[in-house]
Amino acid sequence: MSNEALFNNAVMDDLNIMTVNSVIAAKNLKKTFVQGKFSVPVLKGISFNVSAGQSHAIIGSSGAGKSTLMHLLGGLDTVSEGEVKVMGQSIAGLSEKKLGQLRNKHLGFIYQFHHLLPEFSALENIAMPLLIGGLNKKKAHALATDWLSQVGLDHRGDHKPGELSGGERQRVALARALVGSPDCLLADEPTGNLDSTTAKQMLDLMLDLNQGLNTALVVVTHDMNIANKMQNQWRMNDGLLQRVNE
Ligand SMILES: Nc1ncnc2c1ncn2[C@@H]1O[C@H](COP(=O)(O)OP(=O)(O)OP(=O)(O)O)[C@@H](O)[C@H]1O
Ligand SMILES: [Mg+2]
């Protein structure tokens, strides 16, 4: 391909991404885990775009690679091949600091196994992304208090993660992921440990943000009630994403 054609392709690429308000654009992602002399190809060439305000559900059997994909989309692990852009910016080659800032500003992440900081209280865990983002302690704690209340945990602010139930920890993780008003929430089984009433409340909270603030949602779930509430549904199968709905 000539230099000019390459240039035009690159411009088109960027234009396509910009015109659809791309929050995350992933192209041809591959991930192979190497363990000793075995290499396990988990993702085999996934292209996946998330635009502002969209909602996506990803379903698929255990071990299919859903969490692996979420980690790549959120810049929490590196690709074997392919490219991830967040807000139009390629994350490969960014310093840890720059990547951290990009994530902090634009993405909220709920891990499958929530990763709260054990030595900090629920309130402090929720306030943490704001403090890291440079907000002063008073404002950060005020916002965190508001989010504690939104997830129904006003009375648990001083508890450390070890003093909370699994479902309460998950709600703290949701509040922590949303407190910074991210452009996209990446949620890996966010309601897995919750009873159906609380799960519904958490889902409604996510959908309200999606509709009210245009927060994009990417939700990995085994719960078809949740998947069906997302505009787009995908199944992870044999290292690729297949569209489930039209
Ligand atoms: N760090 C790693 N090293 C080696 N193999 C890994 C690693 N992380 C994941 N895998 C393998 O990759 C495959 C996909 O794992 P992943 O956690 O993405 O699955 P999943 O679809 O999220 O499953 P579940 O529904 O059980 O959460 C699994 O076979 C797993 O053993
Ligand atoms: Mg998983």
Side-chain angles (χ1 to χ4, degrees):
M1 199 183 289
S2 70
N3 279 346
E4 191 186 353
L6 278 174
F7 176 73
N8 283 341
N9 270 359
V11 169
M12 282 306 294
D13 228 357
D14 279 347
L15 282 178
N16 283 338
I17 283 170
M18 297 322 283
T19 48
V20 293
N21 285 327
S22 174
V23 181
I24 299 176
K27 217 197 269 176
N28 197 27
L29 294 189
K30 296 186 184 172
K31 183 72 180 176
T32 298
F33 290 108
V34 180
Q35 276 191 320
K37 37 186 185 156
F38 298 104
S39 51
V40 185
V42 175
L43 305 182
K44 298 180 181 170
I46 290 179
S47 294
F48 183 65
N49 291 306
V50 183
S51 303
Q54 284 187 333
S55 59
H56 298 266
I58 299 176
I59 59 174
S61 53
S62 180
K66 304 177 299 294
S67 295
T68 304
L69 175 64
M70 296 292 268
H71 293 161
L72 297 186
L73 296 179
L76 299 161
D77 196 1
T78 52
V79 302
S80 303
E81 260 183 64
E83 185 183 40
V84 177
K85 287 184 178 178
V86 174
M87 305 304 283
Q89 184 167 9
S90 179
I91 63 172
L94 287 182
S95 65
E96 271 302 310
K97 187 175 171 200
K98 280 265 179 315
L99 179 59
Q101 286 169 342
L102 193 69
R103 231 178 1 230
N104 184 266
K105 197 158 167 212
H106 300 291
L107 304 179
F109 206 102
I110 303 180
Y111 298 84
Q112 186 169 12
F113 305 104
H114 26 74
H115 292 297
L116 296 173
L117 297 167
E119 66 276 28
F120 291 94
S121 71
L123 185 83
E124 288 164 337
N125 264 284
I126 299 170
M128 197 62 71
L130 299 173
L131 295 170
I132 291 170
L135 200 67
N136 70 47
K137 192 172 166 186
K138 198 169 165 204
K139 285 187 183 155
H141 278 212
L143 276 167
T145 303
D146 183 45
W147 270 100
L148 256 183
S149 167
Q150 294 215 48
V151 296
L153 291 174
D154 312 68
H155 55 307
R156 290 286 184 269
D158 294 334
H159 287 233
K160 293 190 173 152
E163 300 159 351
L164 297 170
S165 74
E168 286 171 342
R169 274 181 238 161
Q170 212 149 1
R171 285 187 274 159
V172 172
L174 178 67
R176 182 182 60 174
L178 292 174
V179 72
S181 307
D183 294 289
C184 181
L185 173 70
L186 294 163
D188 195 352
E189 291 281 357
T191 58
N193 290 324
L194 302 176
D195 63 89
S196 59
T197 309
T198 315
K200 167 103 180 40
Q201 285 166 356
M202 295 303 104
L203 174 65
D204 288 344
L205 197 62
M206 291 189 268
L207 291 173
D208 283 351
L209 288 169
N210 176 246
Q211 269 133 44
L213 293 180
N214 227 21
T215 311
L217 304 175
V218 182
V219 182
V220 169
T221 184
H222 288 289
D223 182 341
M224 285 315 289
N225 288 326
I226 294 179
N228 286 332
K229 290 273 169 37
M230 304 294 142
Q231 296 158 340
N232 307 281
Q233 289 134 30
W234 306 89
R235 181 186 303 279
M236 177 78 82
N237 190 23
D238 196 22
L240 296 172
L241 278 183
Q242 300 163 339
R243 196 165 181 119
V244 176
N245 66 329
E246 274 317 304

